[in-house]
Amino acid sequence: MNLHLSIGAKRDDGYHDAYSVMHALTLHDTLTVACERLAEDAPLEVDVRCTAHGGVDELSIASEDNIAHKAIVALAEECGLSEAGYRFSVHIDKHIPHAAGLGGGSSNAAAALLAACRAFGIESEDERALAVATRLGADVPFFLRGGCALLGDRGDAFERALEPMNAPVVLVRPDEGVSTAAAYRAFDECAVQSGVQAQGVSAERAQDVLLHNNLAPASETVLPELAEVRGWLQEQGGVARDDRTGEPCVLLSGSGSATFCICESMNAAYAVVSAAKQRGWWARSCSFTSAGASIVERRVPNAPRTNVGAVHKSW
């Protein structure tokens, strides 16, 4: 999620200048990936299926429209392996809601890239994998690293790492999502756009970043219920306050629709989650983490070694 997001003016390439401090969370999806070798000259086959959990809406899209599918296809093309006889079966256990500003799709893409790198026999730091990650989306390269990082250019260029923190976090999301494109259109229509905040780009530790998101007002015009969620979280007991400003540590993540609050304890986080659910909102407690996308080996009984691979993402 974004501890800090400063969006600048729209550029000639259609993107916006952006500074972002992103921090990984323990909330994660899990991808189970099986790779099978067919005839050496057979075309690449990829099948992606999803199962939603914990009140997350089902993702009813075709496999080829899933970004995890696109990640595997793109890396195969980059490595010249589109006709090398690979068949991938991917199952996503989805816990991250989509259209929430939490990078669920981007993190799935990063996990799929790790699996494809393993299958193709290349390192995850290979420049071809990083090039594909950048093309897939501004957030995808971050999920290959995890932790906490300052990103510049259009919010996708790694500038430096920050020391992560491990405080408890609550995420709250209304039923509706926010289209990133709609949020940016609303942002471009705003008469005043705040500039980059120094605390966001100069801090060395995640806990020293002053929470800031100048895209939030635009998102709240797209989905006014976000302002209700923000105001409600600011009034809850056990929400941490910034020592410098005295303000509650509450902020919309990215373009939304998930708003987060940093809590003083896990017990306080559990209480906020319970109260949010009673209002009919999706809510989860988690914590900050230094982890990123990672591979956890899992042997399939009686299957050859090339058919094994589970990709687990923790952020």
PDB file of all heavy atoms in Angstrom, residues 92 202 214 287 306:
ATOM      1  N   ILE A  92      -5.317 -19.259  -8.552  1.00  0.00           N
ATOM      2  CA  ILE A  92      -5.138 -18.139  -7.630  1.00  0.00           C
ATOM      3  C   ILE A  92      -6.160 -18.236  -6.506  1.00  0.00           C
ATOM      4  O   ILE A  92      -7.371 -18.219  -6.755  1.00  0.00           O
ATOM      5  CB  ILE A  92      -5.302 -16.787  -8.350  1.00  0.00           C
ATOM      6  CG1 ILE A  92      -4.319 -16.663  -9.512  1.00  0.00           C
ATOM      7  CG2 ILE A  92      -5.119 -15.631  -7.359  1.00  0.00           C
ATOM      8  CD1 ILE A  92      -4.500 -15.401 -10.341  1.00  0.00           C
ATOM      9  N   SER A 202      12.333  12.002   1.633  1.00  0.00           N
ATOM     10  CA  SER A 202      13.587  12.135   2.363  1.00  0.00           C
ATOM     11  C   SER A 202      13.709  11.171   3.536  1.00  0.00           C
ATOM     12  O   SER A 202      14.800  10.985   4.071  1.00  0.00           O
ATOM     13  CB  SER A 202      13.753  13.574   2.880  1.00  0.00           C
ATOM     14  OG  SER A 202      12.707  13.900   3.789  1.00  0.00           O
ATOM     15  N   ASN A 214      -2.216  12.825  -2.508  1.00  0.00           N
ATOM     16  CA  ASN A 214      -2.942  13.920  -3.161  1.00  0.00           C
ATOM     17  C   ASN A 214      -3.888  13.437  -4.262  1.00  0.00           C
ATOM     18  O   ASN A 214      -4.554  14.240  -4.908  1.00  0.00           O
ATOM     19  CB  ASN A 214      -1.979  14.979  -3.713  1.00  0.00           C
ATOM     20  CG  ASN A 214      -1.155  14.488  -4.897  1.00  0.00           C
ATOM     21  OD1 ASN A 214      -0.924  13.291  -5.059  1.00  0.00           O
ATOM     22  ND2 ASN A 214      -0.687  15.416  -5.722  1.00  0.00           N
ATOM     23  N   SER A 287      -0.440  -6.726   8.896  1.00  0.00           N
ATOM     24  CA  SER A 287       0.680  -5.925   9.400  1.00  0.00           C
ATOM     25  C   SER A 287       1.640  -5.639   8.263  1.00  0.00           C
ATOM     26  O   SER A 287       1.592  -6.265   7.198  1.00  0.00           O
ATOM     27  CB  SER A 287       1.403  -6.654  10.537  1.00  0.00           C
ATOM     28  OG  SER A 287       1.956  -7.873  10.081  1.00  0.00           O
ATOM     29  N   THR A 306       9.361 -31.454 -12.690  1.00  0.00           N
ATOM     30  CA  THR A 306       9.032 -30.289 -13.500  1.00  0.00           C
ATOM     31  C   THR A 306       7.584 -29.858 -13.338  1.00  0.00           C
ATOM     32  O   THR A 306       7.199 -28.807 -13.808  1.00  0.00           O
ATOM     33  CB  THR A 306       9.287 -30.584 -14.991  1.00  0.00           C
ATOM     34  OG1 THR A 306       8.585 -31.780 -15.355  1.00  0.00           O
ATOM     35  CG2 THR A 306      10.762 -30.743 -15.261  1.00  0.00           C
TER      36      THR A 306
END
